[in-house]
Amino acid sequence: MDKFFNWLDDHGGRRTWAMVILALLLAGVWFWQQGPTGEDRLPVVADTAKLIKTDAPDEFAALDEDKDKPTEATVHVSGAVAKPGVYTLSADARVNDAIQVAGGPLPEADLDALNLAQPLIDGTKIAVPRQGEAPPAPAPGTVGTGSTGAGAVSINAASVEELQKLPGIGPAKAQAIVAYREAHGGFRALEELKEVSGIGDKTYERLAADIQL
C-alpha cells in the first residue's frame, strides 16, 4: 500500500483524484447493499396484482345484471279485441301495445276498466272487458278490473305518491311496494302484495277493494 501511495506522490495530483474515485466507488457499493433487493419488491407487485384482481369483477357487475333482465314478454290477450291470442312483445311494452298487436279493441270494449299504461309482465293474461259487462274476479296472473272500481290504484304502475292514497299506506310502505315490484318484475297477482314487508293479511283486506294490477 505504501508503494502505491509513493507512486501517487511521484505522479502529483493523481493521488487526490484516485482517492476521490475510490470514495465514490465505496459509497456506491454501500448504497447498493442497502437498497431493496428483488425479493423485497415482490410483495409490492403482488399487492398491486391483488388489487387489480379484486376490483375487476365490480366493474362488470352492472353488465352481468343487465344480461339477466328479460328482453321480451309473452302475454295472452283475450276479450273484446279483434284477434285474441298469445303475443310476444318487447319487455318495455305496455298493456295498450299488447291490445294493439291483438288487432285493437272492439267498438264495445271498455278500455277505461284497464290501466293501458301498465308495463307488461311475462306470462300474464290481459282480459279486455266489454262495456256493461260484469268483470269476473281475476285469476292469478290476469290483468283486469276484478272487483276493483274505476278509480282503483295499480300496484304495478302507481307512483309512491299515488300509492299513499291507499288506506294504511304511508311513505315507507309505498316505497316498499315500489322496491318489491322493481326487484321482482312487477306483481303477478294482487295477493302477492302480502309479500311486501309491512303488509299483512289485515292491511291487504283493507286494500283489496282499491287496488288492481
Side-chain angles (χ1 to χ4, degrees), residues 89-104:
L89 295 87
S90 62
D92 59 352
R94 307 284 173 155
V95 168
N96 184 64
D97 298 323
I99 293 175
Q100 296 304 322
V101 169

Side-chain angles (χ1 to χ4, degrees), residues 97-163:
D97 298 323
I99 293 175
Q100 296 304 322
V101 169
L106 296 178
E108 64 271 21
D110 184 9
L111 296 182
D112 289 336
L114 298 175
N115 178 6
L116 299 179
Q118 178 179 331
L120 293 184
I121 301 174
D122 184 58
T124 57
K125 181 179 180 181
I126 302 173
V128 181
R130 290 173 169 79
Q131 295 179 9
E133 181 180 63
T142 300
V143 177
T145 58
S147 59
T148 61
V153 175
S154 169
I155 58 177
N156 273 325
S159 65
V160 172
E161 291 75 16
E162 291 171 335
L163 289 170

Side-chain angles (χ1 to χ4, degrees), residues 20-191:
V20 171
I21 294 172
L22 181 61
L24 291 174
L25 289 174
L26 292 174
V29 171
W30 185 85
F31 280 112
W32 179 79
Q33 292 178 341
Q34 296 299 319
T37 63
E39 294 180 355
D40 293 333
R41 297 188 185 97
L42 288 178
V44 177
V45 176
D47 290 343
T48 303
K50 182 178 180 181
L51 288 174
I52 295 175
K53 184 177 181 181
T54 301
D55 294 341
D58 294 336
E59 297 176 0
F60 298 98
L63 295 178
D64 292 338
E65 292 178 359
D66 290 339
K67 292 180 180 179
D68 295 335
K69 292 182 178 179
T71 58
E72 295 181 337
T74 299
V75 295
H76 178 196
V77 185
S78 66
V81 291
K83 298 178 180 179
V86 177
Y87 298 92
T88 298
L89 295 87
S90 62
D92 59 352
R94 307 284 173 155
V95 168
N96 184 64
D97 298 323
I99 293 175
Q100 296 304 322
V101 169
L106 296 178
E108 64 271 21
D110 184 9
L111 296 182
D112 289 336
L114 298 175
N115 178 6
L116 299 179
Q118 178 179 331
L120 293 184
I121 301 174
D122 184 58
T124 57
K125 181 179 180 181
I126 302 173
V128 181
R130 290 173 169 79
Q131 295 179 9
E133 181 180 63
T142 300
V143 177
T145 58
S147 59
T148 61
V153 175
S154 169
I155 58 177
N156 273 325
S159 65
V160 172
E161 291 75 16
E162 291 171 335
L163 289 170
Q164 292 181 55
K165 297 177 182 179
L166 294 169
I169 300 298
K173 289 183 180 179
Q175 289 283 2
I177 292 172
V178 173
Y180 181 92
R181 78 186 185 204
E182 290 179 350
H184 295 81
F187 293 92
R188 289 165 175 78
L190 293 178
E191 292 78 5

